[in-house]
Amino acid sequence: MADSLRRLINNESCRILQEKLESWYKDYHINSCDQNLNRCCEIIEMNSMIQGQLFTILNQTAREGGHYAGVETIKSRLLPWLGTCFSSTTSGRPFETSLSLIQESIEKERQLREFASTRNHELQQLEKELNSTRLQLTLVQQDLKASQAQEESALRNLDRLNDYEQQVQILKDEIAILGAQKSVLHSRLARSRSPSPRRCQSRSPSPLPLRSCSPGRARLTNAARHARLVARFSEIYTQERLDAQNLLRTYIDDLEMVQRIIYVAAVESFHAAKMAFRQFKMRVRKTLSLTYSGPESLEDTVLDYIVRHEDLYDVQASVNEVIRAMNINPKISFPPEVDFIMISSLIRELCRVAFSMQTLVPPLDIAFGADGELFNESKYRRSYDSDFTAPLVVYHVWPALMENDSIIVKGEAVSKRGALWSRRSRSKSRSRSMSPVLSHSANPSRTLLPRSRSPSPIRSGSPRPALNTSTTSDCLGPCAFT
């Protein structure tokens, strides 16, 4: 015990504790709250160390006195003091609780600050990524614009190349024409030196304005004209057809009737153009057969002449014939104030394309279509409002384009279940006012006059009768008219 007491004295812990208390007292009013708390905690730590040494000395002293020595002193002095310490400790719980709450609040604030810092960092990263994405999008748009500009430039160059090729081909044709004319002149010069019965025939006037005929031109340009006409047929479907449809919708609310009208116009245009081509070809053959003596066959020469002189085709006569046929078609109807002349531009373009398609080898034609036929995926596309499970065609929107028996451009048709039979149960009798068909010199802006019509027995639901093939033996190539 004496050694422990001596060590306690030598450490001078009590003196240092006293000095710290005095120093703290002097500086208490000028210190901050944290500094005072630190001083207090430091003194409590030193006091706890001194108390620990004193309890060690108390334990050793009690052992030196024997088993029952110092009991009264401990009861009278130590136990009451310990009770007072426990009561003080119990009374200090609210402080400890407040301190723990303060610590928890500080910890939560620290966590909130860390969370806010993390969120701000994430937002900054997202903003950087967004700016990077915007920059990439801008670059992609610039690349797309550059690609589009290059594509347009390439298309323009391709068009120029096609123009150059056409010009070269025209020059070759002109050279061939001049060569053929030279050979013809030489042969005529040789025949003029000796009398010949044919000489009188060669001086007979020609009923057609015979310009320079290009032997083999039709076959040389067949592929290019084929591609151009197929593309033009598709353009009419996507442009002129929609323009005519929008124009008719201002007078007719029924979209089905409008589409039927346009389809009938397309079918009648091809029929009228094929008839006009056949008649034109017969006249050219009759004229050229009187004086022709070239190296090519007569049929090739006739076709070459038609290809070079398509401007002689009287397209207005075909337009009038189409409008006349539409006026007596029982499948279409329209208000009295409406006239089919308003879609004459569509009919005119269809007639021109159909006429030019007859000059191809083999010629192009539209496929035959009938309401109620079995829907053919290779022949038609379904309209957007169709029933894609219906097996039959209710009505046609646009005809398919054929070459011999092969479909090269699909048409468009509408298929719905049950709609066909409900339409067949309706009455087919229609009436409307008619207007005279435009002549060659008619004014398209004239006032529409009242008219009346009745269905023709030829067009009352039955297909058009086929032409007698025995009278068309002089037609070049297949001359099939629907």
Side-chain angles (χ1 to χ4, degrees):
M1 185 275 297
D3 294 336
S4 299
L5 184 59
R6 181 170 48 81
R7 286 194 298 270
L8 179 63
I9 294 172
N10 291 333
N11 289 335
E12 298 181 353
S13 300
C14 294
R15 184 177 59 81
I16 295 173
L17 179 62
Q18 181 64 28
E19 290 177 357
K20 286 184 176 294
L21 287 173
E22 292 176 356
S23 175
W24 183 27
Y25 177 73
K26 292 179 181 179
D27 300 333
Y28 180 81
H29 295 287
I30 62 177
N31 290 336
S32 63
C33 180
D34 292 336
Q35 291 176 347
N36 289 328
L37 290 176
N38 288 328
R39 290 287 186 89
C40 183
C41 291
E42 184 180 358
I43 293 172
I44 290 173
E45 291 174 355
M46 292 185 66
N47 187 31
S48 63
M49 292 173 60
I50 295 173
Q51 285 182 355
Q53 294 176 1
L54 290 174
F55 273 105
T56 301
I57 295 172
L58 179 63
N59 189 17
Q60 293 176 357
T61 304
R63 289 179 180 177
E64 292 176 355
H67 187 69
Y68 297 102
V71 174
E72 294 297 332
T73 303
I74 291 173
K75 289 182 179 179
S76 60
R77 297 293 301 276
L78 183 61
L79 292 180
W81 179 77
L82 290 175
T84 304
C85 290
F86 284 126
S87 62
S88 298
T89 304
T90 305
S91 62
R93 285 179 181 175
F95 173 75
E96 293 177 356
T97 304
S98 300
L99 183 60
S100 64
L101 292 176
I102 291 172
Q103 291 177 351
E104 291 178 358
S105 176
I106 293 173
E107 183 67 20
K108 288 182 179 179
E109 290 179 358
R110 184 183 64 80
Q111 293 178 356
L112 288 175
R113 286 195 298 271
E114 292 179 354
F115 178 74
S117 177
T118 304
R119 294 290 294 179
N120 290 332
H121 181 68
E122 292 177 354
L123 289 175
Q124 291 177 358
Q125 289 296 118
L126 291 175
E127 187 174 0
K128 291 180 180 179
E129 293 178 358
L130 180 61
N131 293 332
S132 177
T133 305
R134 289 176 178 173
L135 180 60
Q136 292 177 358
L137 180 60
T138 303
L139 294 176
V140 170
Q141 290 177 349
Q142 292 177 356
D143 294 340
L144 181 60
K145 291 181 179 179
S147 301
Q148 291 177 351
Q150 292 178 358
E151 183 179 0
E152 293 177 356
S153 177
L155 290 174
R156 288 194 296 268
N157 293 333
L158 182 60
D159 293 338
R160 292 176 182 174
L161 180 61
N162 293 333
D163 294 339
Y164 293 154
E165 290 178 353
Q166 292 179 0
Q167 292 177 4
V168 170
Q169 187 61 46
I170 291 173
L171 291 176
K172 290 181 178 179
D173 293 341
E174 295 296 335
I175 293 173
I177 292 170
L178 293 176
Q181 290 179 351
K182 180 179 179 181
S183 62
V184 171
L185 290 176
H186 281 297
S187 62
R188 287 181 179 178
L189 181 61
R191 289 195 303 269
S192 63
R193 294 176 180 176
S194 61
S196 174
R198 180 176 288 183
R199 185 176 180 183
C200 298
Q201 296 179 359
S202 62
R203 296 179 179 177
S204 59
S206 175
L208 287 178
L210 288 177
R211 307 177 203 176
S212 59
C213 298
S214 174
R217 174 179 173 81
R219 297 188 181 275
L220 290 174
T221 62
N222 189 75
R225 290 186 294 111
H226 182 280
R228 178 177 59 83
L229 291 174
V230 171
R232 181 56 184 148
F233 183 78
S234 300
E235 289 178 359
I236 293 176
Y237 168 74
T238 57
Q239 296 180 5
E240 281 83 351
R241 179 187 69 89
L242 293 180
D243 294 339
Q245 178 174 305
N246 295 333
L247 180 60
L248 290 175
R249 285 299 300 274
T250 59
Y251 298 93
I252 304 173
D253 295 333
D254 189 2
L255 178 60
E256 174 182 345
M257 183 55 63
V258 171
Q259 292 177 339
R260 283 179 178 271
I261 291 173
I262 294 176
Y263 177 77
V264 170
V267 173
E268 296 294 344
S269 297
F270 266 79
H271 175 72
K274 287 187 293 184
M275 292 293 293
F277 175 80
R278 177 176 175 272
Q279 296 172 1
F280 186 69
K281 186 177 181 181
M282 292 175 63
R283 293 197 305 269
V284 173
R285 181 187 295 108
K286 183 178 180 181
T287 302
L288 294 181
S289 62
L290 300 176
T291 59
Y292 178 72
S293 61
E296 300 291 336
S297 65
L298 178 61
E299 298 300 327
D300 290 342
T301 305
V302 171
L303 193 59
D304 293 340
Y305 182 90
I306 297 176
V307 170
R308 293 189 60 87
H309 302 88
E310 289 187 18
D311 55 328
L312 298 179
Y313 166 49
D314 189 2
V315 65
Q316 186 60 44
S318 296
V319 172
N320 296 338
E321 177 62 27
V322 171
I323 295 176
R324 186 181 301 109
M326 293 176 67
N327 285 329
I328 60 176
N329 192 301
K331 292 184 178 181
I332 54 178
S333 63
F334 41 89
E337 66 274 8
V338 180
D339 198 298
F340 289 131
I341 298 175
M342 67 173 55
I343 60 172
S344 59
S345 59
L346 171 66
I347 298 173
R348 182 176 291 103
E349 292 301 317
L350 286 170
C351 289
R352 287 175 178 171
V353 170
F355 185 88
S356 298
M357 285 181 177
Q358 307 313 304
T359 64
L360 299 175
V361 181
L364 301 182
D365 199 358
I366 56 175
F368 174 77
D371 295 348
E373 66 175 323
L374 187 65
F375 185 84
N376 189 349
E377 293 288 347
S378 62
K379 188 176 180 181
Y380 296 107
R381 293 187 302 270
R382 296 181 192 265
S383 295
Y384 69 94
D385 56 345
S386 298
D387 184 354
F388 285 81
T389 61
L392 301 181
V393 174
V394 179
Y395 66 94
H396 299 79
V397 178
W398 192 252
L401 190 63
M402 299 182 61
E403 182 178 358
N404 290 333
D405 295 330
S406 302
I407 301 294
I408 59 176
V409 177
K410 285 186 177 182
E412 183 178 347
V414 178
S415 59
K416 292 182 181 179
R417 291 185 178 273
L420 182 65
W421 315 115
S422 62
R423 285 177 174 81
R424 287 185 176 179
S425 61
R426 300 175 185 173
S427 174
K428 293 185 178 180
S429 61
R430 306 179 187 273
S431 62
R432 59 156 290 174
S433 59
M434 297 183 62
S435 63
V437 181
L438 277 177
S439 62
H440 294 285
S441 60
N443 185 6
S445 61
R446 61 173 177 78
T447 305
L448 301 179
L449 300 177
R451 58 184 180 176
S452 61
R453 69 178 175 95
S454 60
S456 172
I458 296 179
R459 299 179 178 267
S460 58
S462 61
R464 188 189 309 277
L467 292 176
N468 186 1
T469 56
S470 62
T471 61
T472 61
S473 60
D474 55 348
C475 181
L476 175 62
C479 296
F481 298 93
T482 56

